[in-house]
Amino acid sequence: NPVPKGQYLKVNGTTTFLVSAFQEHRTKTREVRVIAISRRSKTGSYLCLLCCEGRIHTSKGINNVLSTHYYFAYGTSHLMCPVPDSCDRPSHISAVSTDVEFTGVGQFLRVENLEPRKEAFPHNFTVCISTMFEFSNVLQLVQSFEMLKFLGATRVLVYKSSASAKTQHVLDYYAQTGFLEVIPWAVSRFLNVSRSWLPQLSPGDIHYFGQLPALNDCIYRCMYQTRYLALHDLDELILPQTVSSWPELLPLLEGSHREGCFSFENNVFPTNVILAPPKSEVLHPASRWHPGSQRAPGVNILAHLYQEPSEKSSNIKRKLIVNPRGVISPDIHELAQAEFICVKVDRNLGRMYHTRSPLQPELTPDQLVYDDRLLNYSSRLIPAVAAVL
């Protein structure tokens, strides 16, 4: 009885929920890696149940709670289940606690990634978006999706907790085109999710709507489906500075670094600021374009071209483009465990444009820096967005 997409499997007698399962091809022994959510103080012991050619095989599982949890009671864990020699090809998996009496198990997770791939991936660039909750910023959503297409992405995964009706309409449209896959992300049904990154800022059982288990799931879900995976949010865009797309940018980065992880500096473009360009610049008509708030409520990224100077920020965040096959576990702004290090990309080659509420609200307008790189895409972006709407 497979678990429906977007639902989780609770291990009876424990505080662990199984999210998804993947065949692991990088370890010396054959294993299935199960992405899970566990109470950090109660890891417990587990017996893995592997379905192979219609028969159940068992092995002792080891549940490793990841070190990145931001001090919440629950964190992401990887339940490692050895595949017995008697099992040739595990198709489904479940687990039970060895601390309680076994009364049977009714549901199993499908084991993904049964066949590894080193080349000829279905996609060159895929984007992971985690997590979407109470989302209603329709205009920026459409602009971001169309920009991602221009940048070279052919697949986007969105982990969705909740969204407005208009947002859902947009998601349905992109899903029908094959560009988008929406992963139902219902952590809030069984845990009290935090709305921030620390318990003192927003109490809860788990960090920020379960963002970390979503990122872990996305890494493994996309591992053999894409050459590169971009990890960032819906209001973020990694823009090359000397070329126009990721397929043009990555060879420039790979030429001197072959680690497989590229880290881009965050640059915040506050949405509460709309200023005329400097006197040396001419007002571009694209910066005034808006399709109408009733038709598409939300932020127009082309109107916010002033950024907070990063050198004035005490904590510069970064987002990544990675080779997922070298990643063991991600963090929000870096990799927690991987087979390579992340290279910090020179901001003159590529950097992240983050159109959001200000992070440094104390800055005056004259302290902001004009950057119209986005306007280079406007001649294609405006008609593309208008057509979608």
Side-chain angles (χ1 to χ4, degrees):
N1 185 13
V3 175
K5 180 180 177 181
Q7 296 186 20
Y8 314 112
L9 181 58
K10 189 175 189 301
V11 181
N12 289 339
T14 74
T15 53
T16 291
F17 302 85
L18 308 183
V19 176
S20 52
F22 305 90
Q23 179 79 52
E24 179 59 79
H25 300 279
R26 301 168 297 180
T27 52
K28 293 181 180 179
T29 57
R30 290 201 306 151
E31 295 177 296
V32 172
R33 186 185 299 267
V34 182
I35 309 300
I37 298 171
S38 300
R39 190 172 183 87
R40 296 189 293 114
S41 61
K42 298 179 181 179
T43 54
S45 56
Y46 302 83
L47 185 68
C48 301
L49 309 176
L50 299 100
C51 183
C52 312
E53 294 85 37
R55 298 183 60 187
I56 301 297
H57 302 250
T58 63
S59 66
K60 184 178 180 180
I62 299 177
N63 194 28
N64 302 311
V65 178
L66 304 186
S67 58
T68 305
H69 46 69
Y70 297 100
Y71 308 102
F72 287 90
Y74 282 78
T76 311
S77 66
H78 289 183
L79 176 61
M80 304 303 297
C81 295
V83 180
D85 293 338
S86 57
C87 173
D88 181 52
R89 187 181 176 91
S91 62
H92 295 78
I93 193 168
S94 188
V96 295
S97 170
T98 59
D99 299 327
V100 297
E101 182 181 357
F102 177 59
T103 58
V105 60
Q107 288 190 309
F108 285 74
L109 295 173
R110 183 184 301 277
V111 179
E112 309 287 351
N113 292 358
L114 293 177
E115 298 294 338
R117 183 186 277 120
K118 294 183 178 180
E119 55 186 15
F121 302 104
H123 302 277
N124 275 332
F125 290 93
T126 299
V127 182
C128 282
I129 304 292
S130 64
T131 59
M132 174 184 279
F133 57 93
E134 300 172 2
F135 195 89
S136 59
N137 188 353
V138 171
L139 178 56
Q140 189 169 1
L141 175 65
V142 175
Q143 288 179 324
S144 294
F145 282 166
E146 295 304 309
M147 277 296 301
L148 290 174
K149 290 180 181 180
F150 299 150
L151 291 170
T154 54
R155 185 75 164 164
V156 174
L157 277 71
V158 168
Y159 286 73
K160 191 199 80 170
S161 294
S162 59
S164 70
K166 286 188 176 182
T167 298
Q168 187 61 52
H169 193 49
V170 171
L171 297 177
D172 291 343
Y173 165 77
Y174 281 104
Q176 289 168 7
T177 68
F179 179 69
L180 173 68
E181 180 179 359
V182 178
I183 311 295
W185 197 242
V187 178
S188 58
R189 293 181 184 175
F190 58 90
L191 289 177
N192 179 23
V193 296
S194 172
R195 293 170 177 266
S196 188
W197 68 287
L198 286 175
Q200 56 265 40
L201 298 177
S202 172
D205 295 321
I206 191 168
H207 162 271
Y208 203 63
F209 288 84
Q211 185 178 24
L212 281 163
L215 282 174
N216 276 264
D217 178 88
C218 200
I219 286 285
Y220 285 89
R221 189 180 293 266
C222 297
M223 185 162 287
Y224 301 112
Q225 298 299 312
T226 189
R227 183 182 178 193
Y228 282 108
L229 190 62
L231 307 175
H232 59 66
D233 295 334
L234 276 167
D235 55 3
E236 298 170 338
L237 291 168
I238 295 172
L239 294 189
Q241 298 299 298
T242 60
V243 294
S244 61
S245 68
W246 295 342
E248 297 170 288
L249 174 65
L250 265 294
L252 301 179
L253 305 180
E254 293 168 328
S256 55
H257 304 286
R258 300 193 177 276
E259 283 81 359
C261 175
F262 302 99
S263 171
F264 297 85
E265 174 191 297
N266 180 31
N267 291 260
V268 172
F269 290 75
T271 54
N272 66 332
V273 175
I274 299 179
L275 297 172
K279 292 181 180 180
S280 59
E281 303 283 344
V282 177
L283 180 63
H284 195 288
S287 62
R288 288 182 170 175
W289 176 82
H290 198 290
S293 58
Q294 289 185 339
R295 190 178 184 189
V299 171
N300 173 19
I301 61 175
L302 296 175
H304 304 285
L305 302 178
Y306 280 83
Q307 69 173 71
E308 298 177 354
S310 56
E311 66 270 15
K312 292 184 178 294
S313 176
S314 60
N315 186 16
I316 299 176
K317 304 296 185 183
R318 308 184 74 90
K319 289 295 174 72
L320 312 175
I321 294 179
V322 302
N323 166 5
R325 290 161 297 287
V327 180
I328 307 301
S329 64
D331 202 339
I332 306 301
H333 303 286
E334 56 190 23
L335 296 181
Q337 187 179 1
E339 297 175 350
F340 39 57
I341 62 171
C342 285
V343 175
K344 291 184 178 180
V345 176
D346 187 314
R347 70 188 313 273
N348 294 316
L349 282 178
R351 54 185 184 259
M352 190 176 71
Y353 287 59
H354 193 178
T355 308
R356 53 152 295 161
S357 57
L359 283 184
Q360 304 176 67
E362 73 282 359
L363 294 177
T364 57
D366 61 293
Q367 293 177 297
L368 301 176
V369 180
Y370 184 71
D371 183 339
D372 64 354
R373 175 65 176 154
L374 265 171
L375 295 182
N376 291 345
Y377 298 88
S378 61
S379 62
R380 290 186 292 164
L381 181 61
I382 289 176
V385 171
V388 171
L389 296 178

